[in-house]
């Protein structure tokens, strides 16, 4: 198993949580959507077990899955479930996430319908004036194929349609956010945690917020997963349990993500 | 007779080493002046001063004057390119360009703007003939200049210089790698050229200097120690060192 | 004899090294083709080369937009970078005073070492917004990529051509100058031709960097799958495509074969370009 | 006169080009330092250089593991690549029969053009599993990165040094041989010293590629933040760190400054390395 | 007298051009043989055959035999390096190595394994003295060999060859850039060397050949048309062309 190599634990079965200490390193890699929350989990968990170190690197959902399968990391983070082809791995949901449609803060648009977004992304609508904005060419920011955020967006918004070839492709949420932040003509989709400095648009008149995601009125919501090998080490196990615990889910809510429904 | 070229108190240093010491010499129009002196005395250096070839060498310092006609060769406003088209030079070590024999000779005229094939052909033939190498290479004009023998290269370089028809021709031992017959031909060319041009030749060959030159200058350790008509110098030099050198007792 | 033994040993070590290295290099080329040819098979050569749709979901891989993007970017950058670099190298070797060269040369060597991601970074935070503001959105564009590549390749080309230019024997220079050629004629007719083969190597190196650069381009070109219609349109190159998708590609999948297929096309580009350079250099020798 | 005008124009164009280019290049260096120095301020120089923790969440950026990773990777690869490349170049210019050279040279030029992502790709799908199987997991390791870099830099160094070696005047070779030197003594005592400055440029170029390579390394080194204890440990370099994180860094944040800080350290590396090479080359001239 | 070196039907082609045609000549031990002939007739090419310097030039083809002692110079098993330490050569165009004067001369002995500073110092001084250049450079031994004048470079190259003490010395116009006095000194050195070594010298200088050599060979268009004792050749050559050449009527 991947955990044995890098993280050691002196925990015995049956002992109570207080007495257990974990040490070593837990390595995480993967989705940039999960990054903000994964780091917060890590900080809180490292506070509890000072001898333990948790590292995180980005790279996208697939990278996370691949590296976990290869054993270079203990936990892969993904904004999608493992595919059938990616055997020997288990996906454990740790949070949920809304995918926000974002535009530049100076864009006067106040909201869009899902159909409008669909048409924008398929290239049917190419000017902001067609949806009530300025007379300005729309620049469509998308993600590379394989990205969990894109999987979610494609399946809920585009359905079977394919994205216009003129759409820019970015490798991460951050890149899309930076782009939109500076580009008055841009529209993009990012994980809820990445909406600072940009304007998240209401969809079908529903505000994009934790609350609306939580109650199911906002349409684009997905689950975020930690992926591990089938038998994770004790330290990893404890960490995963911590993430799914009430305490963990509070961190989720505090950091702009949507807690799991228990 | 008119002086067309002269130097006045010309001194030159390579770094700290002084190679020329206050050399003052003047050269008459339509004459041949031979410059002689033991190896390393500064003959090549002196010659190179007149067409500013020493400019290229780093760490060099020049003092004094070199005058061509009315032009101060080292004045700021003087264009070295113009000087070099007027004052041609054949280097001591043959340095053909890495191209064909034809292109080597045609290089100068082409640079000067001549484009007509026929004119170039003529110039090339004439120059090669004058340099006594035409017969040897006329069938191989496309051959690289670098694949010639030592003596052939030397004559090619002479031809190349003749092709630009300079007013003054500086020759640094142009016959050193040549057999007596080729040498004689070159000397004959020199006599023809003299009708129109001024020639300064560095030579180690006493007989050549005596045969071919009108004036002779004698350099020693960077200084000009004797200058005069060739005849008088060879018959009775004023200077003891010159005497020793000519009679082979020097050093 | 001891000396003999050393000689022999050296000979075999050298031969061995050269041989093994060449073997490995051949291996690399084989590996690329081995994987990449499958892309031609699986998609059909025609579809792969001229298809305009590249979609993982549909398992369709048409590389035309990428090919066109790569050509634009490479040709555009090299058309500017090569002459400018050669100009700088000529300036440094033949015109600039010695002390200037002593200052500039280390700078160039330093720039050679600047990682391409840093160039990409600068492009992203400085160039892209600049283009967006002055030439219109999205800023991520061919132009940005070409500019970044120009900045990246110049130091390399300058560095190598400067060395070659300096190696031209002084006696050629002397010969030309003494025949009444100006500095510029000498440079043009003697120095550049004599340094030609080295300069071409320099340009080949530069083009190699330009064709092969991935990350820096990825950061500024926008990576859309469309064929760009103007310099300020976003685009996508073969390399930026590999960078963008490699992490998602599963071993043995049609997808990764398609990515290797892109690698083959890149190699063909390099090959064609090198052949052209080579022909040009041969031509020059005759003239 | 017309000719004069052309001359003058050319002169100014050349001067202008050189000047503008140098200005831009100085601008780039300034830009990097301008952003990167903030990293030293914000983290404290000592903490930045010797801190072992690099965490976005804590807003702590200590680059020691990266620095060590970069040094290992660069030094390791160049120690192998430089001598091997020079050996190949010597072999090609002085020993191999002409026809072999005619075959090998285009291959080398082709390899120069292979994009580094392709090398990364090969490393990932071939080398990493190989290492994992024979030397133990995880396969992603210093060793993989060094190997990939060696393969990447060899063609560059060979190509440039071959040119320089060929430019050594035959008459030096003749002189040495005629004095009874063997081929090897001639190579060692005459040809290599005469080609020294060019070979050093070649190595500088190679090192530049090695230090600056990001994507290929990123794909095979594993990118762990730990200081590697053996060749098969994963590691992380300054460049792979930039590649890995640049996309998530917000403009003006401490994070992006830290990334630029990595850029400065890279530049210092290049600078130190170049200075060493330069000193070595000076030394050789005397001897 | 014993023949130490000879060629038999030696032919050489540069590409398609034949530069040597069936040249058969033999050289006696402890003698000086002069090779003469007009520029471009193949003298340098012939000389270079004996220490296999032509190996370096591409597109060359050699037929016939060249024998040194018992060794076939062009046999497969012959080590050219050994040949070259036995048969030294001074090239027509001086080619000092780009290093100091001292290192130029010490190059050969060092290559042969001599490491002792004192011995090297001695060899350098002795060789430079024999080449008549010691006095000019003794204070500048650290100066680059390339910064010498043409004639100085020529003597430096001679000194360099003397330093390896070859059994046979091939000299390609070693005095072409030298003044009469330096030439006389070199000739004197040749006479001294003759006591022990065999010398073959290419020269254009009739007087030099007459003065300094024991045998003379005459080449024309790649063919050896006359060979014999110097005295007899200069007094009554058998061949008409030789006669013409010597009396300056050739061509
Ligand atoms: N590398 C070469 N390639 C082709 N031809 C050559 C080459 N070197 C010499 N030749 C030709 O071979 C012939 C003989 O040349 P060689 O150098 O032996 O003449 P040489 O007798 O030494 O003349 P010189 O007295 O001028 O030095 C000449 O016609 C020359 O043009
Ligand atoms: N580039 C240089 N750097 C330093 N010293 C030099 C340089 N060129 C020549 N010298 C020195 O300057 C002096 C004069 O050299 P020059 O070449 O003028 O001699 P020369 O009279 O032409 O001799 P030769 O007859 O041997 O050609 C010599 O002592 C020489 O060593
Ligand atoms: Mg001289
Ligand atoms: Mg010769």
């Amino acid at each position: 198993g991947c955990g044995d190599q890098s993280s050691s634990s002196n925990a015995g079965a049956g002992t109570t949580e207080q007495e257990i200490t974990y040490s070593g390193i837990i390595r995480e890699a993967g989705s940039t959507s999960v990054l903000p929350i994964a780091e917060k989990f890590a900080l809180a968990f490292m506070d509890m077990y000072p001898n333990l170190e948790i590292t995180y690197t980005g790279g996208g959902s697939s990278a996370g899955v691949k590296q976990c399968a290869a054993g270079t990391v203990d936990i892969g983070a993904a904004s999608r479930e493992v595919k059938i082809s990616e055997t020997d791995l288990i996906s454990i949901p740790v949070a949920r996430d809304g995918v926000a449609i974002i535009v530049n803060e100076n864009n006067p648009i106040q909201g869009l319908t899902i159909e409008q977004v669909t048409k924008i992304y398929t290239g049917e609508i190419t000017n902001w004036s067609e949806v009530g904005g300025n007379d300005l060419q729309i620049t469509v920011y998308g993600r590379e194929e394989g990205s969990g955020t894109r999987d979610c967006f494609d399946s809920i918004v585009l359905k079977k349609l394919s994205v216009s070839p003129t759409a820019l492709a970015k490798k991460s949420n951050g890149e899309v956010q930076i782009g939109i932040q500076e580009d008055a003509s841009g529209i993009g989709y990012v994980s809820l945690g990445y909406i600072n400095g940009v304007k998240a648009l209401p969809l079908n008149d529903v505000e994009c917020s934790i609350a609306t995601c939580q109650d199911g009125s906002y349409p684009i919501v997905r689950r975020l997963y930690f992926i591990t090998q089938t038998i994770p080490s004790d330290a990893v196990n404890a960490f995963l349990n911590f993430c799914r615990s009430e305490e963990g889910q509070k961190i989720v809510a505090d950091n702009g993500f949507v807690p799991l429904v228990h | 007779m008119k002086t067309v070229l002269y130097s006045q108190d010309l001194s030159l240093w390579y770094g700290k080493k002084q190679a020329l010491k206050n050399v003052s010499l003047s050269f008459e129009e339509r004459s041949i002046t031979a410059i002689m002196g033991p190896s390393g005395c500064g003959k090549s250096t002196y010659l190179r001063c007149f067409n500013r070839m020493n400019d290229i060498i780093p760490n060099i310092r020049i003092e004094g004057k070199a005058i061509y006609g009315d032009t101060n060769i080292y004045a700021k406003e003087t264009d070295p390119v113009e000087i070099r088209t007027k004052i041609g030079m054949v280097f001591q070590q043959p340095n053909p360009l890495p191209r064909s024999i034809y292109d080597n000779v045609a290089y100068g005229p082409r640079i000067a703007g001549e484009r007509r094939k026929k004119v170039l052909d003529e110039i090339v033939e004439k120059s090669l003939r004058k340099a006594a190498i035409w017969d040897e290479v006329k069938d191989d004009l496309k051959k690289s200049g670098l694949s010639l023998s030592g003596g052939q290269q030397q004559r090619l370089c002479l031809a190349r210089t003749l092709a630009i028809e300079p007013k003054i021709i500086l020759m640094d031992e142009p016959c050193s790698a040549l057999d007596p017959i080729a040498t004689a031909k070159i000397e004959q060319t020199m006599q023809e050229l003299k009708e129109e041009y001024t020639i300064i030749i560095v030579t180690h060959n006493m007989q050549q200097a005596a045969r071919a030159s009108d004036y002779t200058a004698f350099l020693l350790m960077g200084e000009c120690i004797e200058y005069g008509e060739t005849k008088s110098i060879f018959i009775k030099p004023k200077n003891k060192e010159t005497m020793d050198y000519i009679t082979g007792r020097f050093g | 004899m001891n000396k003999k033994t050393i000689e022999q040993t050296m000979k075999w070590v050298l031969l061995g090294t050269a041989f093994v290295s060449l073997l490995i290099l051949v291996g690399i080329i084989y590996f690329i083709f081995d994987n990449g040819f499958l892309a031609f098979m699986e998609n059909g050569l025609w579809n792969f080369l001229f298809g305009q749709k590249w979609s993982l979901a549909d398992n369709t891989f048409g590389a035309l937009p990428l090919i066109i993007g790569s050509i634009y970017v490479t040709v555009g950058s090299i058309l500017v970078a090569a002459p400018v670099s050669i100009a700088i190298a000529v300036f440094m070797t033949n015109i600039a005073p010695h002390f200037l060269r002593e200052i500039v040369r280390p700078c160039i060597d330093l720039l050679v070492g600047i990682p391409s991601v840093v160039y990409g970074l600068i492009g992203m935070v400085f160039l892209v917004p600049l283009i967006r503001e002055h030439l219109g959105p999205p800023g991520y564009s061919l132009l940005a990529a070409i500019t970044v590549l120009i900045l990246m390749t110049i130091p390399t080309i300058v560095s190598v051509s400067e060395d070659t230019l300096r190696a031209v024997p002084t006696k050629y220079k002397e010969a030309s100058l003494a025949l009444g050629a100006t500095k510029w004629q000498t440079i043009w007719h003697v120095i550049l031709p004599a340094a030609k083969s080295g300069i071409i190597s320099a340009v080949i190196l530069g083009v190699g960097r330009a064709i092969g650069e991935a990350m820096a381009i990825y950061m500024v070109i926008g990576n859309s799958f469309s064929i760009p219609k103007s310099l300020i349109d976003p685009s996508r190159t073969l390399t930026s495509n590999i960078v963008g998708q490699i992490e998602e590609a599963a071993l043995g999948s049609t997808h990764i074969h398609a990515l290797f297929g892109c690698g083959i096309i890149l190699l063909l580009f390099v090959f064609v370009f090198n052949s052209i350079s080579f022909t040009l250099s041969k031509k020059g020798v005759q003239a």
Side-chain angles (χ1 to χ4, degrees), chain A, chain B, chain C:
Chain A
C2 52
D4 327 5
Q5 286 287 329
S6 49
S7 61
S8 60
S9 77
N10 50 7
T15 43
T16 53
E17 277 215 3
Q18 258 66 16
E19 295 159 38
I20 303 168
T21 56
Y22 298 109
S23 61
I25 305 176
I26 297 179
R27 290 164 305 172
E28 298 180 64
S31 164
T32 57
S33 304
V34 189
L35 171 66
I37 186 68
E39 278 181 337
K40 293 297 189 283
F41 281 146
L43 280 183
F45 198 64
M46 285 192 289
D47 271 349
M48 294 164 57
Y49 302 101
N51 290 334
L52 191 69
E53 196 190 338
I54 303 176
T55 63
Y56 191 97
T57 38
S61 295
S62 297
V65 174
K66 261 194 213 164
Q67 292 200 39
C68 185
T72 24
V73 296
D74 308 294
I75 299 177
S79 47
R80 59 170 171 80
E81 266 184 278
V82 289
K83 294 176 196 153
I84 312 133
S85 62
E86 296 157 346
T87 46
D88 287 344
L89 298 175
I90 48 172
S91 6
I92 298 155
V94 289
R96 288 192 301 156
D97 183 23
V99 174
I101 308 295
I102 57 169
V103 293
N104 190 274
E105 282 183 331
N106 298 324
N107 194 325
I109 288 282
Q110 290 306 329
L112 291 170
T113 63
I114 291 229
E115 293 84 275
Q116 282 174 326
V117 176
T118 311
K119 284 183 176 163
I120 288 174
Y121 269 86
T122 52
E124 228 174 295
I125 295 176
T126 56
N127 197 297
W128 281 113
S129 58
E130 294 173 60
V131 291
N134 299 332
D135 179 16
L136 187 66
Q137 196 78 24
I138 301 177
T139 306
V140 177
Y141 284 72
R143 295 284 301 277
E144 292 285 354
E145 276 184 283
S147 141
T149 316
R150 175 165 175 177
D151 280 357
C152 168
F153 179 85
D154 282 4
S155 63
I156 296 174
V157 179
L158 293 185
K159 309 262 166 39
K160 289 263 172 286
L161 301 173
S162 51
V163 67
S164 146
T166 55
L168 305 186
K170 298 284 167 187
K171 270 168 70 128
S172 68
N173 280 305
E175 251 189 301
V176 175
Q177 181 211 4
I178 291 178
I180 301 290
Q181 204 174 343
E182 302 211 332
D183 186 351
S185 69
I187 183 170
Y189 52 84
V190 292
S191 160
L192 252 189
Y194 282 88
I195 55 175
N196 17 339
V198 293
K199 183 152 89 183
L201 292 180
L203 267 190
N204 296 342
D205 289 331
V206 180
E207 200 71 37
C208 175
S209 69
I210 299 175
T212 53
C213 290
Q214 182 82 335
D215 64 23
S217 53
Y218 185 79
I220 323 176
V221 182
R222 56 171 174 167
R223 294 205 283 183
L224 302 179
Y225 301 90
F226 275 171
I227 315 264
T228 67
Q229 302 210 335
T230 20
I231 310 164
S233 72
D234 294 334
V236 172
N237 225 344
F239 179 59
L240 291 175
N241 287 335
F242 166 76
C243 296
R244 292 170 58 83
S245 70
E246 225 156 288
E247 208 180 332
Q249 291 304 305
K250 195 169 166 308
I251 297 177
V252 170
D254 291 346
N255 286 284
F257 285 83
V258 184
L260 297 168
V261 268
H262 280 284
Chain B
M1 281 283 170
K2 209 181 97 195
T3 299
V4 282
L5 188 72
Y6 67 92
S7 70
Q8 200 176 320
D9 287 335
L10 198 67
S11 297
L12 184 147
W13 290 258
Y14 290 114
K16 278 186 193 139
K17 187 181 158 159
Q18 187 165 8
L20 292 178
K21 291 175 195 153
N22 300 314
V23 180
S24 303
L25 269 175
S26 44
F27 304 96
E28 306 298 318
E29 203 173 10
R30 294 182 193 148
S31 71
I32 299 176
T33 308
I35 297 182
M36 303 191 66
S39 170
C41 69
K43 305 178 295 294
S44 302
T45 307
Y46 183 62
L47 230 51
R48 292 166 59 104
C49 284
F50 285 115
N51 65 348
R52 295 197 39 182
M53 287 316 291
N54 285 328
D55 286 17
I56 301 172
I57 303 171
N59 289 324
I60 223 167
R61 189 158 60 85
I62 296 177
E63 273 177 20
K65 272 188 196 161
I67 312 284
Y68 165 67
D70 306 326
T71 331
N72 180 347
I73 295 178
Y74 281 95
K76 274 243 170 75
E77 65 277 14
T78 307
D79 180 7
V81 174
E82 220 150 283
I83 293 291
R84 289 181 194 134
T85 48
K86 301 270 172 54
I87 307 182
M89 170 146 194
V90 183
F91 293 87
Q92 182 168 16
Q93 298 202 8
N95 55 351
L97 290 167
R99 50 186 69 189
S100 74
I101 295 174
Y102 184 98
D103 289 339
N104 259 288
V105 182
Y107 185 83
R110 276 185 182 148
I111 282 297
E114 185 57 68
R115 285 271 162 271
R116 286 162 298 174
K117 175 98 181 66
K118 233 183 102 194
V119 179
L120 286 176
D121 283 353
E122 265 167 35
I123 295 178
V124 169
E125 175 167 353
K126 202 176 75 184
S127 309
L128 288 172
R129 272 193 198 284
K130 279 193 194 155
I133 189 181
W134 174 251
D135 292 328
E136 284 164 59
V137 299
K138 63 170 179 268
D139 302 323
D140 290 322
L141 289 177
K142 295 230 162 119
K143 211 168 110 169
S144 163
L146 294 177
S147 73
L148 293 175
S149 81
Q152 287 166 337
Q153 288 189 9
Q154 202 162 40
R155 284 172 288 163
L156 174 62
C157 292
L158 175 59
R160 202 172 60 176
T161 304
L162 297 179
I164 61 170
E165 305 199 323
K167 292 274 163 264
I168 296 177
I169 306 178
L170 311 171
M171 300 183 183
D172 202 346
E173 307 195 30
C175 304
S176 64
L178 299 186
D179 53 286
I181 294 131
T183 305
K185 284 190 197 149
I186 301 282
E187 280 172 18
Q188 190 186 330
T189 300
M190 278 165 54
Q191 297 303 333
E192 285 163 21
L193 292 172
K194 195 176 108 172
E195 304 293 312
E196 260 187 88
Y197 306 117
T198 309
I199 296 174
I200 307 176
I201 177 174
V202 167
T203 177
H204 280 303
N205 189 323
M206 227 69 83
Q207 290 92 328
Q208 183 171 49
R211 273 196 310 262
S213 72
D214 304 315
Y215 301 90
T216 297
F218 190 77
L219 290 191
L220 190 63
M221 315 261 286
E223 274 176 291
C224 173
I225 57 166
E226 182 139 10
Y227 173 78
E229 286 199 23
T230 302
K231 273 176 220 145
S232 58
I233 284 203
F234 272 87
I235 294 168
K236 54 171 184 332
K238 288 178 226 134
N239 197 301
K240 184 173 169 302
E241 275 111 345
T242 321
M243 171 73 116
D244 289 349
Y245 185 82
I246 289 171
T247 53
R249 261 175 299 153
F250 176 90
Chain C
M1 231 177 90
N2 193 21
K3 197 167 134 189
K4 269 270 164 70
T5 328
I6 295 176
E7 296 275 311
Q8 282 299 319
T9 321
M10 260 186 78
K11 176 163 179 172
W12 288 111
V13 168
L14 212 59
L15 266 167
T17 313
F19 187 72
V20 169
S21 310
L22 289 174
L23 214 67
I24 292 177
L25 299 179
V26 169
I28 291 176
I29 295 185
Y30 171 77
F31 186 86
I32 297 173
F33 274 77
D34 190 38
N35 280 277
F37 262 125
L38 289 173
F40 300 158
M41 312 285 249
E42 288 158 353
N43 297 282
L45 183 59
W46 181 266
N47 289 336
F48 188 72
L49 291 182
F50 297 102
Q52 297 205 20
K53 180 162 181 170
W54 181 286
S55 159
L56 249 170
D58 292 358
N59 213 26
T60 320
F61 301 99
L64 187 65
L66 314 177
I67 295 176
I68 292 181
S70 275
I71 292 180
Y72 280 168
V73 166
T74 309
V75 171
S77 59
I78 221 63
L79 276 187
V80 178
V84 168
S85 308
I86 296 171
I88 297 177
V90 165
F91 173 79
M92 277 169 63
T93 43
N94 286 286
I95 295 143
H98 191 67
F99 82 94
L100 199 63
R101 188 190 168 271
E102 295 288 293
I103 299 168
V104 173
R105 179 68 213 228
C107 287
I108 299 279
D109 283 343
L110 199 61
L111 286 169
V112 166
I114 294 187
S116 51
V117 269
V118 173
Y119 283 104
L121 212 57
I122 294 175
M124 212 171 86
V125 303
F126 182 71
L127 206 60
V128 168
L130 201 75
I131 293 175
R132 185 186 301 134
E133 238 164 73
H134 292 95
L135 303 172
Y140 295 97
S141 56
L142 265 188
L143 182 61
I146 290 177
T147 312
V148 164
L149 278 190
I150 289 172
L151 294 181
M152 267 183 55
T153 43
I154 283 180
T156 306
I157 306 184
V158 170
S159 162
V160 179
S161 17
E162 209 238 32
D163 280 327
T164 338
L165 285 170
R166 259 188 318 132
V168 173
T170 327
K171 61 178 185 179
Y172 294 163
K173 221 158 122 180
E174 279 186 355
S176 171
L177 289 175
L179 291 170
T182 63
K183 217 168 195 171
W184 306 95
Q185 289 172 322
T186 304
I187 289 170
W188 190 252
H189 294 292
V190 176
I191 298 180
L192 285 179
K196 193 169 219 168
S197 111
I199 290 178
I200 285 184
S201 289
V203 174
I204 285 182
L205 268 173
V207 171
R209 257 200 114 165
I211 295 186
E213 181 49 41
M215 204 52 215
I217 294 184
Y218 190 85
M219 289 160 83
V220 301
I221 204 172
N223 302 302
S224 73
F225 273 103
S226 53
I227 295 173
K229 290 182 190 59
S230 83
L231 268 179
I232 59 163
D233 278 354
S235 174
R236 192 179 181 95
T237 65
L238 291 160
T239 46
S240 74
N241 188 49
I242 297 180
V243 168
Q245 307 208 323
I246 187 62
E247 285 158 358
E248 315 296 336
L251 279 187
S253 63
T254 322
H255 186 199
I256 205 159
H257 293 156
L259 294 182
F260 270 103
C262 292
I264 294 190
I265 301 177
L266 283 169
L267 276 191
L268 288 184
F269 274 13
V270 176
F271 184 72
V272 167
F273 176 82
N274 288 359
S275 307
I276 294 174
S277 316
F278 195 68
T279 319
L280 282 182
S281 83
K282 281 274 141 118
K283 212 169 173 184
V285 172
Q286 269 188 331

